[in-house]
């Protein structure tokens, strides 16, 4: 038996899982990834990978700066090139939770081809649903550390000292793409480009939709319970 409660002891056996996490910005994807304790996986955020390139001013980062700050999607070509490197650098047996990828139908179709070529199957696709106005409200309170990328929420997860990162003492900032006009644009793009991906996975019987209002620990518990049948039939 797997202990499916969040906060399960580190000794409890964890089931290796291959999951995709889809939801609008601010739906709580990163927090959910941290709280899913009964599964073992690497949490891979395509947004974090891209932000890392921008921060470190790599050649890719220099090409990406503007699209990230304006809330536009990075082209499918660059995204697939970047994510392909991640995919082929890992062992097929390793679990993963992909956060932010795939985000367009062509990305989802390409990803399916990669999986098939290594005989890997996804276990489930978790879709976090949140009303748009709730998204805007949540993101207005988000602050990040520009040095180490740690994310805070001024109401629910504030730093110990106002405006300062707990880990490295750097002054926190609001991400340029967390400003309200940019958020509205990101939501428009989400509806246009990412909602078709939900239909794609629904048709494959992989989609688990969860409403993400409420407390993070309760959300993780609900997701862990609702994921069980996806593993039972595979
Ligand atoms: P996120 O942190 O997931 O909201 O991603 C931040 C930004 O990174 C997005 O607004 C896009 O500019 C870019 N990005 C992340 N993942 C993808 C993707 N799969 N396809 C295209 N652009 C992406």
């Amino acid at each position: 038996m797997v202990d499916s409660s969040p906060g399960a002891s580190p000794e409890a056996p964890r089931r290796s899982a291959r999951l995709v996490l889809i939801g609008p910005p601010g739906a709580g994807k990163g927090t959910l990834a941290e709280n899913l304790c009964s599964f073992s996986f690497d949490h891979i955020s395509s947004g974090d990978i891209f932000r890392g390139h921008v921060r470190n001013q790599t050649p890719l980062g220099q090409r990406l700066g503007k699209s990230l700050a304006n809330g536009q999607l990075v082209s499918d070509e660059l995204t697939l090139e970047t994510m392909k490197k991640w995919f082929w650098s890992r062992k097929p047996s390793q679990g993963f939770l992909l956060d932010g990828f795939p985000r367009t139908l062509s990305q989802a179709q390409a990803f399916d081809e990669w999986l098939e070529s290594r005989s890997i199957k996804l276990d489930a696709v978790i879709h976090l649903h949140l009303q748009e106005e709730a998204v805007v409200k949540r993101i207005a309170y988000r602050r990040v550390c520009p040095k180490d990328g740690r994310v805070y929420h001024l109401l629910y997860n504030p730093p110990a000292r106002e405006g300062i990162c707990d880990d490295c003492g750097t002054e926190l900032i609001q991400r340029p793409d967390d400003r309200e006009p940019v958020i509205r644009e990101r939501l428009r793009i989400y509806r246009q480009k990412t909602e078709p991906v939900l239909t794609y996975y629904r048709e494959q019987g992989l989609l688990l939709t969860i409403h993400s209002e409420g407390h993070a620990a309760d959300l993780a518990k609900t997701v862990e319970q609702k994921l069980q049948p996806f593993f039972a039939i595979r």
Side-chain angles (χ1 to χ4, degrees):
M1 271 296 275
V2 173
D3 177 357
S4 65
S5 61
S9 85
E11 296 81 35
R14 290 168 172 218
R15 178 181 263 168
S16 175
R18 297 182 186 94
L19 302 166
V20 167
L21 183 52
I22 300 180
K29 300 188 290 291
T31 312
L32 176 66
E34 281 168 21
N35 287 334
L36 285 179
C37 298
S38 60
F39 296 98
S40 92
F41 49 70
D42 302 324
H43 174 206
I44 308 297
S45 154
S46 49
D48 281 349
I49 294 177
F50 287 141
R51 278 186 290 277
H53 280 282
V54 173
R55 208 168 33 242
N56 297 322
Q57 297 181 356
T58 66
L60 173 64
Q62 284 163 7
R63 291 163 74 188
L64 293 177
K66 277 212 177 94
S67 19
L68 255 68
N70 296 336
Q72 301 296 319
L73 289 189
V74 174
S75 70
D76 281 340
E77 196 190 345
L78 276 184
T79 302
L80 289 170
E81 197 182 305
T82 306
M83 296 310 290
K84 202 170 184 176
K85 281 191 196 130
W86 161 76
F87 184 75
W88 288 96
S89 68
R90 53 196 313 287
K91 290 193 200 116
S93 57
Q94 276 174 280
F96 58 78
L97 181 139
L98 272 172
D99 163 358
F101 175 86
R103 213 153 165 142
T104 65
L105 203 48
S106 352
Q107 291 178 16
Q109 286 162 341
F111 185 44
D112 263 356
E113 283 171 21
W114 304 347
L115 290 166
E116 212 176 303
S117 69
R118 299 189 92 183
S119 307
I120 299 173
K121 284 196 186 313
L122 287 179
D123 294 307
V125 175
I126 305 165
H127 164 214
L128 288 187
H129 175 79
L130 188 65
Q131 295 290 344
E132 293 203 4
E133 287 315 307
V135 166
V136 174
K137 229 170 157 178
R138 265 194 199 184
I139 289 188
Y141 289 102
R142 187 151 77 179
R143 296 292 180 276
V144 295
C145 172
K147 193 164 170 211
D148 63 21
R150 183 163 167 188
V151 181
Y152 297 85
H153 189 281
L154 297 184
L155 299 181
Y156 306 125
N157 177 28
R161 272 195 301 153
E162 196 182 321
I164 303 293
C165 179
D166 292 347
D167 292 338
C168 67
T170 305
E171 199 169 326
L172 302 179
I173 57 159
Q174 184 172 40
R175 256 168 58 179
D177 59 342
D178 279 354
R179 287 171 293 124
E180 185 172 337
V182 183
I183 283 297
R184 301 246 176 229
E185 175 65 1
R186 288 167 73 195
L187 286 169
R188 187 189 66 76
I189 293 172
Y190 177 79
R191 279 196 304 275
Q192 185 188 54
K193 305 269 185 171
T194 307
E195 285 187 355
V197 179
L198 299 176
T199 309
Y200 178 77
Y201 284 127
R202 188 178 293 113
E203 285 169 1
Q204 293 186 35
L206 286 170
L207 198 71
L208 168 65
T209 296
I210 304 275
H211 290 260
S212 91
E213 291 86 9
H215 201 274
D218 296 335
L219 180 68
K221 204 168 174 183
T222 306
V223 171
E224 297 209 319
Q225 281 162 356
K226 297 207 168 181
L227 275 177
Q228 297 305 325
F230 285 84
F231 288 88
I233 57 171
R234 256 156 244 284

